[in-house]
Amino acid sequence: MKFVLERATATSGRLGYIRASNNGCECKLPTPMMLLTTQTGSVPHLTKDALERVLDSSRKHSAAPAAKTKATHESLEPGKPVLSVPVQHFLNSHEALLAYNKGFTSFVGLPGHCVLATAQCSLTAPRGGYNNSQGVSVWTRSGRAYLKPKMYMQLVDAVDAVWCEALHDADTPPQCSNKRLAKSLASSYKYLEECLHAAQGRHVGLLVPLLGGWVLEQRQRWADKVKRLLKQDAGATRVVGYTLGGLSGFGAEAETLNPDQSLRTLLRASLVSTSPSQGFPWWGFPPSEVVGFPPSEGMGFPPSEGVGFSPSEGVGFPPSERVGFPPSERVGFPPSESVGFPPSEVVGFPPTEGMGFPPSEGVGFSPSEGVGFPPSEVVGFPPSEGEGFPPSERVGLSPSEGVGFPPSEVVGFPPSEGVSFPPSERVGFPPSEGEGFPLSGGGWVSLPLERKKRHDDAAATSDEEDEERPYELNLNLACYAGSSSVLLPGCNCYTCSSGYTRGYIHHLCSSREMLAPVLLQMHNLHHMLGFMEAIRAAVAQDSLQDLKEILLGSYRPLRSTPEETQSPSEVSSEGLDCPHEAASPHPKDGVTDPNFGEVELNVAEHSDGVSLNGARHA
Amino acid sequence: MPVGTKRSYNSSTDELTATDLIFQGTMKGLLPEQVADAGADIILGNTYHLGTQPVSENQTPHIMPTFPTLKGKEVLSAAGGLHQWMQWPRALLTDSGGFQMVSLLKFAKITEDGVTFQSPYDGSYTRERNCMLIICILYYHTGSECVLTPEESIAIQNAIGADIMMQLDDVVDVKETNYERFKEATLRTTRWLDRCIAANKNTASQNLFPIVQGGVFTDLRDLSLTQLMERDSPGYAIGGLSGGEDKEKFWPIIEHCTRRLPQDRPRYCMGVGFAPDLVVCVALGVDMFDCVYPTRTARFGCALVDNGQISLKSDVYASDFSAIDDACSCSTCHTYTRAYIHALTTEKNPVGCHLLSIHNIAYQVRMSAHALWL
C-alpha cells in the first residue's frame, strides 16, 4: 500500500491517492476519502445489491472532473470505498472467520473492498469505566468482553484488514477526571507497544492514534511519547499513518462535540508534535499551519506528517468517512469514533491563518474556517436510542450533482428516522474545468439529523426547525403525508430516480417499516459519496474555502444538546406549511425546483468560527 | 373474463400464480427490484388500516395527519395508485380489509351495513397496530362508531388500483360453530358482493373477486357458489378456510368448491400458504394463494427449505459455509453463506431479515412452480 500525494495546496488541503492491492489487483483510492461504516460486515440496512446500486448511481453521476494533478501516468482502476469494520462485531464469529477460507470480504458479501479495522463500534457509546491496562471492554450480544491487544490483532487478521488502528482506551470524555485520562494514556501506550509488536509479523498497516483526551498538555505529551516510541520500535515499519483520537465522540455524544477553536488547538497539538520517524524531513511549522498539510512544494509542511485524520473519536470525520491524509507515506484514517462536523466545517481544519490545511482531506473537521462537518453529522451517528444506528435522522442530501451532504449523512448511517435532505441548493460541486463552484443555485443540503429521542421529546418536529435546517428533511413529520415530490428533485440516487415520494417514505417511517431506512440510506449515502467528490474537486482547484463559505451560508447548526432542545411546538391541524414542499415538483415533470439558483448566501462573519452549539455569529 | 391483464397476471388455469405474499406496501424492507428478482409476479396489499398505538396525551401527535379527515385512499389516489406509490411494476391484489378488522379489532361487529367498530379512545386519532397493511385508512375517532362498508372498501381498493380486488365479505369468527351464523354470512356475502359490484368504478381495469362462504357446510357452500357464480366474475376466492380448521374437513370443502367453480376462472384460496397445504390445494384445482409466513418468519431468522425451515440463529450454523439452499437461485443463496446470515441474525442486524426475506420469497415462488408439475 502506498500513499501518493499528488498535490498540496495552500488553503485547500492535500489531494492524493492510496494505492491498495485487493486480491492481486491494484486500485487507487483517492483522498480525501471517506470510509463506509459497517455493522457486522454490512453497510447498515443495505444488502450487497442495494449497496451496489448506490455505488453505481454515485459513480455514474459523479460530476467530478479529473483532478488537476501532476501527471501520474498511472492508470489504476478506482477502488471501491474502504469498509470500516469494528472487530467487536465479529468477536462471536471469530472461529467462523478462521475456518472460512475465501476471505473476509467474500464472507460478508462485499468482495473488492479493502477493510480498515478498528476496535469499537462508533455507533454506540461504550459504557464508561470498564477499561483497564489489560484491555478495553466491548459489549456483544453475550455481554461484556475484554478486548486485549493480542486478541484484537488476531481479529484484525481474521477480518483481512489492510489497515488497522492500534487498540487504545477511548474512554476519555470531555469531563473525565485527570486520573482517568492518565490511566487511559498509560493503558493505550501499553496496547500500542503490543500492537506494534504484533504488527511486525503481519502485513496490516498500523495507524497510531494520537490521544490525550481534552487536555492540551496531555496531547502534546502523548504525541511526543509516540514520536519517540516510533523512532526506536522495530514495529514502526508497519506504521502507515495516524488517527486523531481521544475525544470520545461515540454515539449520541458525537453530536455534541463542538469543533471550535479549542478543539482545533487540541488536534493541532497532536499533529504538530508528531514528526515522521522514517527519515522524512521534519520541517516544523507553526501550529497555525495545521497539521497535515504539508505541501510538497516546500511551503513548510512536512509531508510526512501525515496529518489530517479524524481522530479516533472522530472529530470531524464520520467514522465512515474517514478521510485520510496520509503524509506522503502515511495514511491517516480517522478512527472509528469519528465525530461528525457540521457541513460548514467540513473538511479538515482550516488553519487559523488559512495556511495550513486542516487535514481537510479528512472531512469532518469543523473548524470555523474550514469546511467541516458538524460532528453530529459525521458518520457514526449517534445511534438513536441505543438502536445502534446513527441518528438516522440524518439525511444528507446533496443536490443532484452530489454536492452537499447532509452532514448527517455520513456513511453508514441509516436514516432510520427518515430524515432526508432537501435539495435546496447545490453546492459548488466539482466545477468543470476552471469554472469554480457554481455558487448560485448551489448549496448543499446537509442537515443535521435529529436524534430519535428528540422526536420523542416532541421537540424536534416543528416545521420551523426544518426551515432552519435546510439540509435535512424529517420525514416523520406529518406534513409530508400527502407529498408527491421525491426527496430531492433532480437527484440521481436510486431512491429519487425511482420516484419514491416523500409521502410514501413518510408512510414507511410512520409505519416503522424496514424499507424506510433502506431508501433513505441509499439516498444519503449517494450524496455523501458525492460530497467527498466535491471536496476532492475543491482541493484540486484550490477552492475549498469557497466550498466552505457556501456551506456556512446554508448550514444551520444543530442543537447540540438535549437541553437546548426547543420546546415542543404544537402541530397545528390546518395549513401546515411544510418546508421544502411548496415548490417541489414531481421529478418526472422535468421541471426543476424553482428554488434552485436563488440561494441567499448568508456567509457568516465569524471571528473564531461557527460554534457548533447553535451560536451562529451572524 | 378478467380484465386488466396488462401485467403478469395470467388467468389461465394452466399457470399457477403463486401470489406472493404480501404486504404492507412494502415487503419487509425489500426493494421492489429485489422482490421481482426473487420471482414474485403479484403481491397483495391489505386494505385494513394499520395503526400504531393511540397517541397519548403527553405525546406530541406528530403522527397525526395534517387534517383529521386525511384518508389513505386520498393519499393513494393523489399518488396515482399503489403501483406508482411503491414502485411495483407487476401485479397487485388487495384484500377487502374485512378479515383483519374482525380478527384484529377488539370491538368489531358485523352488521348489515358493514363491519362496525367502536374506537375505545375518545377524541383521539387511533391507528391500531397490526401487521399487514398498507394503505392506511386513517380514521379520526371520536369514540363513536366507525364502519367499513362494502362501498368504502371498494372505494379504497379503487384508489389503490390493484389488478385484482376482493369483495368485502361477512367473515365468521373462527371459533363459530353455529350453522345459522354461517348461513347468515353466506347470504350477506352475496348481498355485499352486489353492493361491491355496484360501487366498483374501475370495471375496465380492476378485477373484482367474490369470496365463497359457507364454512364447512357443503350445502351452504353450494348456496354460495350458485349465487356468486351467477354474477360471472373474473375469478373466485374460497374464503373462511384459513382459520385452522380440521384438515379432514378442509380438503373436502376445497374440492367441493373447485369442482363447481368455472374452469376458465382462477380460484384463489385465501390465507393458505404453508407448503403442504399449498401443494394439496394445487392438486385440488386451486390457482392462487397468499401467505405472510415467508416474510414473517424471515424476520425471526428462519429460512424456508424443502424439508421445513431452518432457524439461522442456531449455533449449528455458525460455521456452516453452505448457502441456505444450494438449489436456490436467489441472490441471498448466490452471495451469502448460512454462517454469515447466522452472524447477522444473532447480532440483530436488519440486513439479515432482508436476505432471508428474499430467499423465502424465492423459495415460495419456486415451490409453487414445482407444485404445478406434481
Side-chain angles (χ1 to χ4, degrees):
Chain A
M1 188 218 78
K2 187 175 187 300
F3 171 66
V4 175
L5 180 67
E6 290 182 307
R7 187 189 160 140
T9 63
T11 55
S12 295
R14 317 187 311 172
L15 196 72
Y17 63 91
I18 296 170
R19 263 173 57 181
S21 178
N22 201 337
N23 281 344
C25 308
E26 285 236 320
C27 60
K28 64 191 243 188
L29 304 165
T31 63
M33 74 173 187
M34 75 179 209
L35 311 182
L36 295 184
T37 293
T38 61
Q39 281 192 306
T40 329
S42 291
V43 173
H45 296 290
L46 302 188
T47 59
K48 176 191 179 186
D49 57 306
L51 178 64
E52 278 175 358
R53 282 175 200 277
V54 175
L55 298 179
D56 281 345
S57 69
S58 162
R59 251 195 312 270
K60 234 185 283 176
H61 298 286
S62 148
K68 293 194 181 67
T69 65
K70 298 178 194 162
T72 56
H73 303 296
E74 300 188 70
S75 53
L76 290 175
E77 279 300 306
K80 297 188 186 182
V82 175
L83 304 176
S84 168
V85 176
V87 299
Q88 75 168 90
H89 294 154
F90 290 94
L91 259 176
N92 291 315
S93 312
H94 192 193
E95 279 181 28
L97 288 180
L98 291 174
Y100 189 72
N101 57 7
K102 297 191 188 141
F104 173 79
T105 51
S106 171
F107 183 68
V108 302
L110 296 174
H113 294 259
C114 293
V115 171
L116 185 151
T118 59
Q120 291 173 292
C121 182
S122 56
L123 303 183
T124 35
R127 278 165 260 188
Y130 287 93
N131 298 341
N132 62 24
S133 60
Q134 302 301 313
V136 304
S137 289
V138 293
W139 277 265
T140 67
R141 68 172 190 274
S142 6
R144 183 160 75 103
Y146 255 131
L147 198 53
K148 301 183 182 179
K150 186 171 167 200
M151 180 62 181
Y152 172 65
M153 293 304 285
Q154 286 173 353
L155 283 165
V156 164
D157 269 349
V159 301
D160 294 340
V162 177
W163 311 275
C164 76
E165 185 190 25
L167 186 67
H168 63 284
D169 182 336
D171 184 13
T172 54
Q175 65 276 16
C176 79
S177 67
N178 290 336
K179 184 174 168 191
R180 167 88 280 271
L181 180 57
K183 281 192 167 171
S184 83
L185 293 176
S187 301
S188 299
Y189 191 81
K190 189 160 165 288
Y191 305 154
L192 178 59
E193 286 179 316
E194 293 186 49
C195 287
L196 281 169
H197 178 72
Q200 285 179 53
R202 293 172 155 93
H203 295 292
V204 66
L206 197 66
L207 298 170
V208 173
L210 300 176
L211 305 173
W214 292 78
V215 177
L216 187 64
E217 299 74 27
Q218 291 286 22
R219 294 201 79 92
Q220 286 165 342
R221 200 173 298 151
W222 170 270
D224 289 336
K225 263 183 99 172
V226 158
K227 196 161 83 180
R228 283 194 298 275
L229 176 64
L230 294 184
K231 279 201 175 113
Q232 80 203 15
D233 193 301
T237 51
R238 302 301 318 151
V239 173
V240 294
Y242 302 97
T243 65
L244 291 169
L247 298 168
S248 226
F250 294 98
E253 301 301 314
E255 287 185 60
T256 63
L257 280 189
N258 182 358
D260 61 3
Q261 182 68 29
S262 57
L263 182 62
R264 296 203 303 281
T265 306
L266 290 172
L267 295 177
R268 284 193 195 112
S270 294
L271 296 170
V272 170
S273 304
T274 319
S275 67
S277 59
Q278 298 300 317
F280 296 112
W282 167 244
W283 294 39
F285 47 91
S288 58
E289 258 72 302
V290 183
V291 187
F293 278 176
S296 45
E297 287 79 16
M299 282 179 60
F301 292 95
S304 47
E305 266 69 19
V307 178
F309 302 73
S310 60
S312 46
E313 279 76 38
V315 178
F317 290 104
S320 46
E321 268 96 330
R322 308 228 173 196
V323 176
F325 287 60
S328 44
E329 249 73 310
R330 296 181 186 233
V331 178
F333 285 107
S336 43
E337 291 84 82
S338 271
V339 179
F341 286 112
S344 49
E345 271 93 11
V346 187
V347 190
F349 289 154
T352 38
E353 291 74 17
M355 284 180 59
F357 258 135
S360 40
E361 285 89 21
V363 177
F365 280 99
S366 154
S368 44
E369 292 81 45
V371 181
F373 291 110
S376 46
E377 261 75 38
V378 183
V379 178
F381 287 166
S384 47
E385 323 281 287
E387 279 180 14
F389 279 122
S392 43
E393 282 93 9
R394 290 178 195 263
V395 173
L397 293 193
S398 63
S400 48
E401 284 76 58
V403 178
F405 336 151
S408 43
E409 259 52 39
V410 188
V411 182
F413 281 82
S416 44
E417 306 301 308
V419 180
S420 129
F421 288 110
S424 41
E425 290 105 329
R426 297 188 180 225
V427 173
F429 230 174
S432 46
E433 321 278 298
E435 269 181 47
F437 287 129
L439 294 187
S440 58
W444 43 275
V445 188
S446 179
L447 300 178
L449 289 179
E450 292 171 84
R451 283 170 290 174
K452 186 178 175 185
K453 65 171 137 173
R454 293 222 186 95
H455 287 152
D456 293 344
D457 289 344
T461 56
S462 76
D463 296 326
E464 284 155 17
E465 291 174 18
D466 258 21
E467 289 283 356
E468 284 175 14
R469 295 198 303 279
Y471 289 111
E472 69 182 354
L473 283 182
N474 180 352
L475 272 296
N476 287 304
L477 293 184
C479 55
Y480 293 113
S483 169
S484 61
S485 159
V486 290
L487 292 176
L488 179 60
C491 171
N492 292 310
C493 78
Y494 166 81
T495 305
C496 297
S497 58
S498 297
Y500 294 102
T501 60
R502 294 175 185 188
Y504 178 63
I505 298 180
H506 164 77
H507 159 73
L508 294 178
C509 291
S510 54
S511 306
R512 304 285 190 263
E513 277 296 331
M514 286 199 272
L515 189 59
V518 174
L519 293 179
L520 288 169
Q521 169 77 319
M522 293 176 81
H523 172 85
N524 291 351
L525 184 52
H526 172 93
H527 285 289
M528 203 61 199
L529 293 169
F531 181 53
M532 292 314 303
E533 282 205 41
I535 290 178
R536 287 193 286 269
V539 174
Q541 310 243 333
D542 200 4
S543 50
L544 195 65
Q545 296 304 315
D546 294 336
L547 179 60
K548 168 191 142 188
E549 280 176 18
I550 293 170
L551 295 173
L552 284 175
S554 316
Y555 174 73
R556 304 288 180 272
L558 176 70
R559 287 188 313 279
S560 50
T561 61
E563 290 70 36
E564 292 172 5
T565 299
Q566 295 175 15
S567 57
S569 53
E570 290 293 327
V571 172
S572 77
S573 60
E574 292 184 28
L576 274 179
D577 203 7
C578 208
H580 320 296
E581 276 300 295
S584 304
H586 193 278
K588 303 260 164 75
D589 295 348
V591 175
T592 53
D593 190 329
N595 283 335
F596 288 148
E598 289 169 9
V599 176
E600 239 189 47
L601 292 180
N602 301 315
V603 178
E605 283 162 25
H606 36 274
S607 50
D608 57 327
V610 175
S611 155
L612 182 59
N613 287 332
R616 259 187 104 67
H617 307 283
Chain B
M1 285 304 292
V3 299
T5 55
K6 56 186 179 299
R7 295 195 178 82
S8 50
Y9 165 63
N10 192 315
S11 67
S12 156
T13 51
D14 287 342
E15 301 212 15
L16 181 68
T17 311
T19 310
D20 292 294
L21 349 148
I22 312 165
F23 351 46
Q24 292 93 330
T26 154
M27 296 285 288
K28 284 299 169 230
L30 300 186
L31 303 174
E33 288 84 348
Q34 290 172 319
V35 177
D37 286 345
D41 288 319
I42 175 170
I43 58 182
L44 182 158
N46 281 318
T47 309
Y48 177 56
H49 71 265
L50 178 74
T52 58
Q53 292 92 347
V55 176
S56 71
E57 286 157 12
N58 298 328
Q59 212 174 331
T60 297
H62 59 271
I63 56 167
M64 186 180 288
T66 307
F67 303 103
T69 52
L70 178 69
K71 290 205 196 305
K73 72 174 181 214
E74 287 157 8
V75 169
L76 275 168
S77 294
L82 185 58
H83 286 98
Q84 177 66 26
W85 211 48
M86 64 181 287
Q87 301 295 323
W88 174 248
R90 297 184 180 176
L92 276 172
L93 181 153
T94 43
D95 190 8
S96 61
F99 178 79
Q100 280 72 28
M101 294 180 75
V102 168
S103 55
L104 303 169
L105 285 181
K106 279 188 196 160
F107 306 107
K109 220 172 39 155
I110 309 269
T111 63
E112 186 59 32
D113 198 23
V115 182
T116 309
F117 59 98
Q118 194 140 32
S119 166
Y121 304 101
D122 241 329
S124 64
Y125 169 62
T126 301
R127 292 159 75 203
E128 279 118 29
R129 184 203 299 266
N130 261 311
C131 52
M132 314 218 29
L133 224 210
I134 320 182
I135 291 314
C136 309
I137 302 173
L138 307 174
Y139 285 103
Y140 187 69
H141 299 317
T142 54
S144 58
E145 283 195 347
C146 307
V147 60
L148 179 66
T149 60
E151 289 78 10
E152 179 68 9
S153 174
I154 293 300
I156 296 165
Q157 294 189 71
N158 280 156
I160 294 173
D163 305 82
I164 301 172
M165 50 185 189
M166 309 307 297
Q167 69 155 122
L168 182 67
D169 58 334
D170 183 351
V171 178
V172 180
D173 192 286
V174 297
K175 299 188 284 295
E176 184 64 67
T177 49
N178 184 354
Y179 177 87
E180 287 305 316
R181 173 68 191 102
F182 282 99
K183 186 170 178 187
E184 180 196 36
T186 302
L187 296 170
R188 180 175 292 139
T189 293
T190 306
R191 292 194 291 276
W192 281 4
L193 173 63
D194 289 337
R195 286 168 62 181
C196 288
I197 291 173
N200 183 13
K201 295 197 170 61
N202 295 340
T203 48
S205 58
Q206 292 184 273
N207 300 284
L208 175 59
F209 280 25
I211 304 177
V212 178
Q213 300 294 327
V216 295
F217 304 101
T218 50
D219 60 326
L220 292 180
R221 289 282 172 181
D222 279 335
L223 177 61
S224 185
L225 284 162
T226 306
Q227 290 182 342
L228 299 185
M229 289 196 300
E230 280 167 9
R231 274 80 179 160
D232 191 27
S233 301
Y236 296 88
I238 302 168
L241 282 178
S242 54
E245 354 10 69
D246 190 359
K247 292 293 184 239
E248 296 302 316
K249 297 187 180 146
F250 175 78
W251 312 125
I253 296 294
I254 296 275
E255 200 260 342
H256 188 86
C257 293
T258 54
R259 199 161 15 94
R260 287 201 51 191
L261 284 169
Q263 291 297 311
D264 61 349
R265 298 285 193 271
R267 298 87 171 271
Y268 170 26
C269 192
M270 303 189 75
V272 170
F274 279 126
D277 296 343
L278 190 146
V279 172
V280 172
C281 286
V282 168
L284 294 175
V286 180
D287 306 303
M288 295 168 59
F289 306 87
D290 71 88
C291 190
V292 296
Y293 187 67
T295 44
R296 177 179 290 164
T297 201
R299 293 206 313 281
F300 297 113
C302 293
L304 299 180
V305 292
D306 278 337
N307 47 353
Q309 63 177 41
I310 56 175
S311 172
L312 284 158
K313 285 185 179 171
S314 162
D315 287 339
V316 164
Y317 303 106
S319 295
D320 184 344
F321 302 125
S322 58
I324 294 175
D325 189 340
D326 287 324
C328 182
S329 57
C330 76
S331 59
T332 300
C333 292
H334 181 68
T335 309
Y336 299 94
T337 59
R338 293 177 177 191
Y340 182 57
I341 300 179
H342 167 81
L344 288 173
T345 48
T346 48
E347 298 288 337
K348 297 195 172 48
N349 191 318
V351 175
C353 301
H354 301 333
L355 296 177
L356 286 172
S357 294
I358 290 173
H359 167 77
N360 288 354
I361 292 172
Y363 175 81
Q364 195 78 357
V365 170
R366 188 162 54 93
M367 191 244 318
S368 312
H370 284 170
L372 265 184
W373 298 101
L374 294 177

